[in-house]
């Protein structure tokens, strides 16, 4: 850890990928942290998919908030960024990825090889081939923000792995948006009204079909199992999207106009479950290498059945039968950024 003799304060040097909602919030929270801590988070670079800004002496708040600005440099690949980092000879470099990009992986692998700390809110690099994940683990790697912004799952599974406890089974609700939607359906709201409400309140992506597919929840479970030590890959994925019919050929507006055709389907499903003392939740499961994601009937009084609104939960079961329940609330940029900074601080000492 670097200590600046002139200020007697320790510093982590951050190069951040991504300047969307989470990226902006990371910057905001970092400066708030710096105002009251001896551990200073110093931004030396910021990049989006087209341009980057770098100054080994640090970027001030105005430069970061006005990014890209006039001083940003266009680039076609990340080599110029890597060259700048290497030439700077800075210590305690932390690469923070708040992007949602598929194109950052080669850069992250180069940084891992140079032992720069990696802190990711971006799930995509972590669900690539298992050997890629292992190469990323060649350095300090933080990923709390990738799995439920308010759900501290990664530290729990890392502890279990360290204790030699193998997670054989896991089941959970890891999507705040789908949690809210299922809660409204369980309360008797028509699907069309419930989805429109959830979308208009910003819980889903602009195209809610992205959430309804469940792909993001599947990615989260894959990340969890990898940090738990499962390196055999996926034996099988059973993927059941929430909708019983493919609606991908429609525009978003067309889709939203047609969703009332699913009202009766979901009403029957929830009515039948209610008669059996159950409800329906969208869950993801892991059983010894097999992943399943989709709607599941669960008892009202079960841990999952009791979940309200945007609550998230995962139940981990080890091979000796020990059950660990991790539950939390919180989603969005503020929670994700807080998890990013928690990783940065934990890994920079």
């Amino acid at each position: 850890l670097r200590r600046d003799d002139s200020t007697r304060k320790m510093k982590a040097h951050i190069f951040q990928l991504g300047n969307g909602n989470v990226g902006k919030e990371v910057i905001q929270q970092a400066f708030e942290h710096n105002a009251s801590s001896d551990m200073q988070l110093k931004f030396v670079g910021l990049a989006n998919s087209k341009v980057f800004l770098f100054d080994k002496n640090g970027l001030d708040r105005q430069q970061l908030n006005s990014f890209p600005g006039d001083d940003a440099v266009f680039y076609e690949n990340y080599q110029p960024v890597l060259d700048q980092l290497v030439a700077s000879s800075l210590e305690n470099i932390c690469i923070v990825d708040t992007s949602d990009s598929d194109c950052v992986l080669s850069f992250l692998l180069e940084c891992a090889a140079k032992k720069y700390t990696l802190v990711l809110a971006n799930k995509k690099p972590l669900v690539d081939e298992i050997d890629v994940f292992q190469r990323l683990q060649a350095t300090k790697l933080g990923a709390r923000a990738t799995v439920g912004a308010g759900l501290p799952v990664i530290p729990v599974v890392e502890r279990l792995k360290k204790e030699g406890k193998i997670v054989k089974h896991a089941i959970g609700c890891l999507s705040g948006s789908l949690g809210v939607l299922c809660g409204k359906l369980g309360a008797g709201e028509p699907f069309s009204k419930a989805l429109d409400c959830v979308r208009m309140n910003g819980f889903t992506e602009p195209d809610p079909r992205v959430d309804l597919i469940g792909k993001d929840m599947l990615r989260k479970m894959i990340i969890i199992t990898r940090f738990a030590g499962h390196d055999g890959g996926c034996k099988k994925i059973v993927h059941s999207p929430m909708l019983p019919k493919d609606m991908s050929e429609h525009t978003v507006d067309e889709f939203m106009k047609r969703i009332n055709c699913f009202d009766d389907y979901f009403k029957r499903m929830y009515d039948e479950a209610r008669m059996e003392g159950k409800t329906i939740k969208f869950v993801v499961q892991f059983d010894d290498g097999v992943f399943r994601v989709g709607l599941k009937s669960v008892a009202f009084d079960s841990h999952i059945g009791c979940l309200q609104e945007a609550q998230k939960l995962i139940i981990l079961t080890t091979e000796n039968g020990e059950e660990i329940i991790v539950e939390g609330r919180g989603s969005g940029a503020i929670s994700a950024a807080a998890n990013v900074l928690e990783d940065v601080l934990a890994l920079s000492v």
Side-chain angles (χ1 to χ4, degrees):
L1 186 64
R2 186 175 185 274
R3 183 178 290 274
D4 189 320
D5 291 331
S6 63
T7 62
R8 308 304 297 172
K9 290 186 176 182
M10 298 174 287
K11 293 183 179 180
H13 298 100
I14 297 174
F15 190 100
Q16 181 170 299
L17 305 173
N19 192 41
N21 291 339
V22 175
K24 286 182 171 66
E25 186 62 34
V26 168
I27 293 169
Q28 170 75 15
Q29 292 187 26
F31 277 91
E32 291 173 359
H33 164 86
N34 287 346
S36 59
S37 175
D38 284 342
M39 178 60 189
Q40 295 291 287
L41 305 176
K42 183 177 181 180
F43 288 85
V44 296
L46 180 60
N48 60 23
S49 60
K50 297 179 180 179
V51 298
F52 76 96
L53 196 60
F54 184 87
D55 186 340
K56 73 174 185 178
N57 296 314
L59 300 169
D60 61 35
R61 200 166 188 170
Q62 182 178 352
Q63 288 174 296
L64 293 165
N65 289 341
S66 61
F67 178 83
D70 297 330
D71 298 325
V73 178
F74 285 91
Y75 67 100
E76 294 182 356
N77 58 58
Y78 283 98
Q79 191 58 49
V81 176
L82 196 62
D83 291 343
Q84 292 264 28
L85 287 168
V86 172
S88 72
S89 299
L90 292 170
E91 297 177 0
N92 204 25
I93 293 175
C94 181
I95 308 300
V96 171
D97 182 6
T98 66
S99 74
D100 189 38
S101 174
D102 293 307
C103 304
V104 298
L105 182 55
S106 61
F107 173 68
L108 294 176
L109 290 171
E110 290 274 8
C111 291
K114 295 185 181 302
K115 301 302 180 184
Y116 298 157
T117 298
L118 302 180
V119 174
L120 276 58
N122 183 5
K123 303 175 189 67
K124 292 176 181 176
L126 299 174
V127 296
D128 206 288
E129 297 298 327
I130 188 64
D131 65 308
V132 171
F133 178 79
Q134 291 167 341
R135 288 169 65 191
L136 292 173
Q137 283 192 307
T139 190
K140 294 178 182 178
L141 176 63
R144 295 174 196 236
T146 62
V147 183
L151 199 65
V153 184
I154 299 299
V156 172
V157 295
E158 287 183 317
R159 174 179 58 80
L160 291 172
K161 180 183 176 183
K162 188 175 181 179
E163 294 172 356
K165 297 177 179 178
I166 299 173
V167 175
K168 297 292 287 184
H169 173 76
I171 182 171
C173 292
L174 303 176
S175 168
S177 58
L178 292 178
V180 174
L181 179 59
C182 288
K184 289 183 176 296
L185 294 174
E189 282 194 30
F191 175 77
S192 55
K193 180 182 177 182
L195 182 61
D196 186 59
C197 178
V198 171
R199 178 173 178 255
M200 294 303 293
N201 281 285
F203 283 104
T204 70
E205 295 293 331
D207 183 349
R209 288 170 294 189
V210 174
D211 299 86
L212 298 175
I213 289 171
K215 189 174 183 179
D216 189 62
M217 197 186 290
L218 178 61
R219 283 175 176 159
K220 291 176 182 179
M221 184 62 89
I222 291 173
I223 292 169
I224 290 168
T225 59
R226 286 184 171 182
F227 274 97
H230 288 276
D231 56 6
C234 305
K235 295 178 183 176
K236 185 179 180 182
I237 294 177
V238 181
H239 189 190
S240 303
M242 192 168 188
L243 296 180
K245 179 182 176 183
D246 182 17
M247 302 286 283
S248 59
E249 72 273 15
H250 301 292
T251 66
V252 176
D253 288 342
E254 289 171 344
F255 168 70
M256 293 304 297
K257 290 176 182 177
R258 294 169 182 262
I259 56 175
N260 59 2
C261 70
F262 298 116
D263 286 352
D264 289 343
Y265 170 80
F266 283 103
K267 184 179 186 304
R268 286 195 302 272
M269 179 188 296
Y270 276 83
D271 285 349
E272 290 172 4
R274 195 177 296 110
M275 291 175 62
E276 298 175 359
K278 296 181 178 182
T279 188
I280 308 291
K281 298 290 185 181
F282 200 92
V283 306
V284 60
Q285 301 176 79
F286 168 79
D287 286 289
D288 196 23
V290 178
F291 294 85
R292 301 177 187 274
V293 60
L295 292 168
K296 183 177 177 64
S297 177
V298 296
F300 267 124
D301 58 356
S302 65
H303 291 296
I304 292 176
C306 289
L307 290 177
Q308 299 294 317
E309 297 181 345
Q311 283 182 306
K312 301 168 188 174
L313 172 144
I314 187 167
I315 304 170
L316 307 167
T317 306
T318 65
E319 61 180 0
N320 64 359
E322 181 183 1
E323 189 174 89
I324 302 96
I325 300 173
V326 186
E327 187 172 358
R329 180 187 293 271
S331 59
I334 293 175
S335 294
N339 276 269
V340 166
L341 292 182
E342 192 169 353
D343 270 338
V344 171
L345 292 168
L347 298 175
S348 295
V349 295

